Amino acid sequence: MRDRNDPSREREVALADVRIGDIAIVRPGERVPVDGIVREGRTHIDESLITGESLPVAKEPGARATGGSINGEGVIAIETTAIGAETTLARIIRLVESAQAEKAPIQRLVDRVSAVFVPAILAIALVTLAGWLLHGAGGETALLNAVAVLVIACPCALGLATPTAIMAGTGVAARQGILIKDAQALEQAHAIRIVAFDKTGTLTVGKPSLVAFEAAPGVDRADALALAAAVQRMSEHPLAKAVIAAAHDAPRVGASAARAIAGRGVEAQVGERRIAIGSGRLLAERGAEAPASLHVRARELEAQGNTVSWLIEGNDAVLALLAFGDTVKPTARAAIDRLAQMGVQSALVTGDNAGSAQAVARALGIAPEFVFAQTLPDDKARVVTQLKASGKIVAMAGDGINDAPALAAADIGIAMASGTDVAIEAAGLTLMRGDPALVADAIDISRRTYRKIQQNLFWAFVYNLIGIPLAAFGMLDPMFAGAAMAFSSVSVVTNALLLRTWRAQAGAADEARTGKPITRPA
């Protein structure tokens, strides 16, 4: 660590003594000790422990580094942002432990069955004892047969059927980059029939670029771009970063009193002028009229799949048109196709304009009737509720604060770990990589886990249905009954542990692309 009082000195300290804001020096091959932000140096970091991603991730100043990952070839300085129980790795461990300790809805049903099963077996054992005595058998024979009934009917297999499958399923999912918040989410996900996707950052890369900036007639383009950059410097939105990057040569002016306009844009005070950047919805609400030439150009850009925003002064003066382009994630089309093969319908729910939404939907093969554009956060929640009205289980996949209401409204919320904490908190499943292909993998592991639970319960009941009559009629010695009971428990656990061989197809695609095997923690 760098000395707090003398930054030119470095010293080794115990991890327990590290504080927020301390600068950690991480050398090549060392494990990153804390969550933080890279302040100096460039490197590649192996984050497979956290995300399951097979390829090292490039890091430069401003990038986030996660405690537990392994540094590559460069020396980096990391400013500590989280320590101890608040690190990403610690939160992952808590989530997995919580999910494994949680009772699935089907387990509660098994508990109710067990509550009836135990007294019923005691009654059968008494009937067996009485029956053999009434038929003239000796007390020893009657007692042995009654004991055989009790031994063979020990509900161990019944009790192990669900929790072993839940533990195996959540454990293997976590190793593949899928975090399951609770057992109910794991069990319910097997029945998902519709997945509603957010667009930006979920199906697209989420790093848009400014593809067009056209000033209104009579407005100087450089001045307008400088105003736009001034307003956007007050925002962390991806579109804001695109404007700032495009305006690196424009004159720099200051802004103040910035405020976000929910679902519409942002505005700030630039000198004596009130400047806003927002969507067509903001333009319409303010009653501003864009020049005809810009309107025509906006329709052209939207038809090409771009997101159009407007630079507005005051309430009605349109200064410029901004168009942003984003790239669809390489795995997005394959993810949508695989969901379709699994019988899951995909929908697109976005705050972007209809042209941009339809262009992305066409590229991904999403049906036009399942495209919902220009939706505010509350609108997204209403769309999810509308989809649920069909009686099907609906999942929502998103990464932003604006997705949180929809994530909470869905039967299953699926958040990208690269997104906001609010979205992750509202979701039942968290994908540690921003790969939409993991959505299908999450449904797949849920289906496999549910199938294992059904198989385990089936064999547990069949075992009792066969074993109890045999024991009651004196055809099963208590010693063999005990061995059979133990075998049933072992078979249930072994069947559940077969889930550990499951591998996410998203990871397999990475392996095929790189030609290198994926290394994940045991």
Side-chain angles (χ1 to χ4, degrees):
M1 305 294 296
R2 279 193 183 151
D3 194 291
R4 297 184 188 124
N5 300 317
D6 183 3
S8 64
R9 292 179 56 228
E10 295 177 11
R11 60 191 181 92
E12 289 188 6
V13 299
L15 192 57
D17 295 331
V18 177
R19 298 289 178 265
I20 303 296
D22 284 353
I23 302 295
I25 307 300
V26 186
R27 294 176 175 81
E30 293 183 342
R31 196 173 290 276
V32 177
V34 294
D35 283 6
I37 298 173
V38 177
R39 292 306 182 197
E40 297 175 17
R42 284 174 167 77
T43 189
H44 287 77
I45 291 182
D46 178 1
E47 296 182 334
S48 59
L49 174 71
I50 310 298
T51 67
E53 172 61 60
S54 60
L55 296 175
V57 180
K59 300 292 182 181
E60 59 184 18
R64 291 192 172 275
T66 306
S69 54
I70 299 174
N71 186 25
E73 74 283 358
V75 177
I76 52 174
I78 297 175
E79 180 183 345
T80 304
T81 59
I83 54 175
E86 298 307 313
T87 62
T88 299
L89 186 57
R91 293 204 305 270
I92 289 172
I93 293 169
R94 283 201 303 274
L95 279 173
V96 173
E97 288 176 344
S98 173
Q100 292 180 338
E102 188 95 6
K103 280 190 177 181
I106 196 170
Q107 176 64 30
R108 288 191 280 273
L109 173 62
V110 172
D111 289 344
R112 289 197 295 272
V113 171
S114 296
V116 176
F117 180 80
V118 172
I121 293 302
L122 290 173
I124 292 172
L126 289 173
V127 169
T128 300
L129 178 66
W132 280 97
L133 290 174
L134 289 173
H135 279 78
E140 182 180 346
T141 300
L143 186 60
L144 282 174
N145 290 334
V147 169
V149 169
L150 292 174
V151 172
I152 196 72
C154 179
C156 293
L158 204 60
L160 289 169
T162 300
T164 52
I166 292 292
M167 291 188 71
T170 53
V172 73
R175 287 198 300 275
Q176 302 293 314
I178 302 167
L179 285 186
I180 299 165
K181 186 179 290 185
D182 53 50
Q184 182 172 349
L186 177 66
E187 182 183 328
Q188 199 172 15
H190 85 277
I192 290 173
R193 290 295 175 266
I194 300 175
V195 177
F197 287 95
D198 172 49
K199 182 175 77 72
T200 305
T202 304
L203 292 175
T204 63
V205 174
K207 294 181 180 178
S209 59
L210 186 65
V211 298
F213 185 90
E214 301 192 11
V219 177
D220 182 77
R221 185 182 185 280
D223 289 344
L225 186 56
L227 289 172
V231 174
Q232 297 287 40
R233 285 191 185 95
M234 312 297 288
S235 172
E236 288 297 319
H237 195 280
L239 298 185
K241 295 177 181 178
V243 173
I244 295 167
H248 63 278
D249 291 330
R252 187 182 179 100
V253 293
S256 60
R259 74 178 185 94
I261 308 169
R264 293 162 177 81
V266 63
E267 67 176 347
Q269 194 75 27
V270 183
E272 299 298 319
R273 309 164 74 178
R274 193 70 185 167
I275 305 295
I277 297 177
S279 62
R281 187 189 291 263
L282 179 65
L283 190 73
E285 288 179 354
R286 295 204 168 183
E289 265 308 317
S293 60
L294 289 187
H295 258 309
V296 172
R297 182 63 176 142
R299 285 196 294 271
E300 291 175 355
L301 291 165
E302 286 180 350
Q304 295 167 10
N306 297 302
T307 300
V308 171
S309 295
W310 300 90
L311 183 66
I312 307 168
E313 181 176 0
N315 285 328
D316 55 6
V318 176
L319 301 180
L321 170 155
L322 302 87
F324 301 91
D326 199 358
T327 305
V328 172
K329 289 182 177 178
T331 58
R333 178 61 194 243
I336 300 300
D337 289 345
R338 186 179 171 210
L339 285 171
Q341 292 169 6
M342 296 170 69
V344 179
Q345 174 65 53
S346 297
L348 181 62
V349 185
T350 177
D352 273 352
N353 60 74
S356 176
Q358 290 291 352
V360 171
R362 282 194 300 272
L364 298 178
I366 297 175
E369 62 269 25
F370 284 94
V371 178
F372 305 89
Q374 292 182 309
T375 54
L376 298 175
D378 289 345
D379 296 330
K380 289 187 177 184
R382 278 192 289 273
V383 167
V384 168
T385 303
Q386 175 186 329
L387 293 171
K388 287 169 64 177
S390 65
K392 297 178 179 177
I393 300 296
V394 177
M396 173 71 194
D399 67 338
I401 292 175
N402 61 332
D403 298 320
L407 290 168
D411 294 301
I412 300 288
I414 303 174
M416 304 290 179
S418 55
T420 63
D421 289 343
V422 176
I424 293 170
E425 187 63 31
L429 303 178
T430 300
L431 309 182
M432 295 308 294
R433 303 196 301 279
D435 186 350
L438 281 176
V439 173
D441 286 323
I443 297 173
D444 183 44
I445 187 58
S446 173
R447 290 182 178 181
R448 289 171 184 266
T449 301
Y450 194 71
R451 198 152 53 238
K452 288 297 181 188
I453 292 172
Q454 291 175 318
Q455 291 169 3
N456 286 347
L457 291 175
F458 173 79
W459 288 115
F461 279 114
V462 166
Y463 159 80
N464 283 296
L465 286 174
I466 295 173
I468 291 171
L470 291 176
F473 286 106
M475 302 170 66
L476 200 62
D477 185 272
M479 183 173 64
F480 290 110
M485 181 272 295
F487 176 75
S488 71
S489 299
V490 170
S491 64
V492 162
V493 172
T494 302
N495 188 44
L497 289 177
L498 290 175
L499 284 170
R500 291 172 63 89
T501 63
W502 178 82
R503 291 292 179 268
Q505 285 196 19
D510 286 342
E511 186 171 330
R513 188 177 70 251
T514 62
K516 298 178 181 178
I518 296 174
T519 302
R520 293 189 175 91

